[in-house]
Amino acid sequence: MGVFDAMNVSASGLTAQRLRMDVASSNMANVDSTRGEFKNGVWEPYRRKMVVLGSGESSFKNMFNKAVNNGKMAGVKVNGIVNDETPFKTVYQPEHPDANEEGFVQLPNVDPLKEMVDLMSATRSYEANVTALNAAKGMYLKALEIGR
Amino acid sequence: MSLFSGSVMKNLEMALDGSALKQKTISNNLANVDTPGYKAKETVFNQEFKKSLHAYRTDQRHFSFGTESSSSFSVREKTNTVMNHNGNNVDVDKEMAELAKNQLYYQTLVQRINGKFNSIKMVVKGGR
């Protein structure tokens, strides 16, 4: 067991939650972006992105360790950022430069409410990880006092 | 009586190890608070369990097994907890409470081990 394992685990949690925050911010910023991706000669609106988290246990090394001894706790791992495939919002806005022949514009499938909820959840998880990190730090500092 | 290998020192050392592992487990649970399908883990001290698990030796040349070799605490998945819609069963409030408890426990152990060292120091210095 490494000395700073507990802190490394907390740090992985901090990184993951910060990424979630970044992605939610990106979604919020692009709530009206009608030109997100250039596909087959036409502009597609921005697609909402989501972070997929996994417990860093899925690697063979960790599975093996888990089976042999008490198992190594590897913190959290970002498995990837995926697109939300729900359909785009369509509004009637004939004066918009990206409107089609009937005057409809496709807008990103971003729901600000959803993003806010995600943002709050990420903030709270981040705080919990900070607390755990500080606790571990306090314990290690205390251990340095042994025999002084 | 030997100075450092007495039962007090050994027990304190073991408890410190267990407490550090517990801290790691809690950190891991908190890091995975939003991971779908993650199951919360806990560190358990299985001193009593180990006591009951004694290998009976009929010959002195036999190997002893079961008790001494492995550690006296282990990590296991938590049972009887409420599960979230995404299969995650980390209870943040509970983990935070456990964290605070473990922190105090660790500091108590360090204080105790320091007390022990101070007694030894006093003896070495001849009571001065």
Side-chain angles (χ1 to χ4, degrees):
Chain A
M1 195 172 79
V3 193
F4 297 119
D5 274 5
M7 286 172 102
N8 289 340
V9 164
S10 288
S12 79
L14 289 177
T15 313
Q17 298 305 334
R18 182 176 290 276
L19 182 72
R20 275 183 74 204
M21 242 152 143
D22 286 350
V23 170
S25 306
S26 163
N27 288 342
M28 287 278 253
N30 283 296
V31 71
D32 284 320
S33 301
T34 48
R35 297 182 183 184
E37 209 179 341
F38 200 62
K39 247 187 196 166
N40 307 327
V42 276
W43 279 104
E44 241 188 23
Y46 175 86
R47 233 175 232 292
R48 176 171 175 259
K49 307 226 172 347
M50 292 178 293
V51 176
V52 185
L53 297 177
S55 68
E57 290 169 349
S58 44
S59 72
F60 176 77
K61 187 177 144 202
N62 280 314
M63 285 292 188
F64 185 76
N65 274 331
K66 203 173 159 186
V68 172
N69 46 50
N70 274 336
K72 192 167 154 54
M73 282 164 287
V76 67
K77 201 173 133 238
V78 176
N79 281 344
I81 298 174
V82 295
N83 283 334
D84 187 352
E85 294 300 334
T86 49
F88 294 119
K89 283 181 281 184
T90 320
V91 286
Y92 182 68
Q93 218 172 5
E95 71 281 4
H96 198 285
D98 288 325
N100 59 14
E101 297 87 54
E102 287 112 49
F104 284 102
V105 186
Q106 283 200 317
L107 288 176
N109 53 353
V110 176
D111 182 4
L113 212 67
K114 237 185 219 170
E115 300 308 326
M116 280 315 286
V117 172
D118 239 26
L119 216 53
M120 291 299 284
S121 145
T123 314
R124 297 289 166 249
S125 303
Y126 192 86
E127 279 169 6
N129 276 304
V130 168
T131 310
L133 188 82
N134 278 332
K137 191 179 143 199
M139 278 166 63
Y140 291 143
L141 282 175
K142 198 77 187 164
L144 286 178
E145 283 174 24
I146 294 176
R148 266 188 36 177
Chain B
M1 191 199 113
S2 52
L3 212 52
F4 296 110
S5 55
S7 67
V8 178
M9 229 32 151
K10 221 155 69 186
N11 285 341
L12 283 171
E13 201 181 308
M14 193 200 75
L16 274 173
D17 273 348
S19 185
L21 182 65
K22 197 168 188 173
Q23 170 70 24
K24 208 176 115 184
T25 318
I26 295 167
S27 293
N28 202 50
N29 286 342
L30 285 173
N32 283 295
V33 72
D34 293 310
T35 308
Y38 177 81
K39 297 285 179 287
K41 290 173 185 56
E42 64 182 342
T43 303
V44 283
F45 294 77
N46 36 15
Q47 190 75 34
E48 292 308 310
F49 171 71
K50 279 278 154 65
K51 261 186 211 158
S52 61
L53 200 84
H54 237 316
Y56 185 65
R57 284 195 292 177
T58 53
D59 193 303
Q60 278 300 307
R61 288 170 298 179
H62 286 170
F63 284 115
S64 68
F65 62 89
T67 47
E68 291 89 6
S69 55
S70 59
S71 65
S72 46
F73 35 80
S74 56
V75 180
R76 65 172 188 205
E77 256 170 30
K78 269 186 193 174
T79 47
N80 60 47
T81 48
V82 184
M83 211 171 278
N84 217 340
H85 61 279
N86 59 2
N88 188 313
N89 66 347
V90 177
D91 183 347
V92 181
D93 303 309
K94 218 169 184 171
E95 298 297 336
M96 286 318 232
E98 285 291 322
L99 190 79
K101 266 197 285 183
N102 192 43
Q103 221 177 341
L104 285 174
Y105 177 60
Y106 192 88
Q107 295 197 353
T108 314
L109 290 171
V110 170
Q111 227 162 65
R112 238 13 275 136
I113 217 164
N114 268 336
K116 188 82 181 148
F117 270 122
N118 281 335
S119 326
I120 295 171
K121 215 186 236 169
M122 192 157 88
V123 173
V124 170
K125 285 181 175 172
R128 272 180 294 143

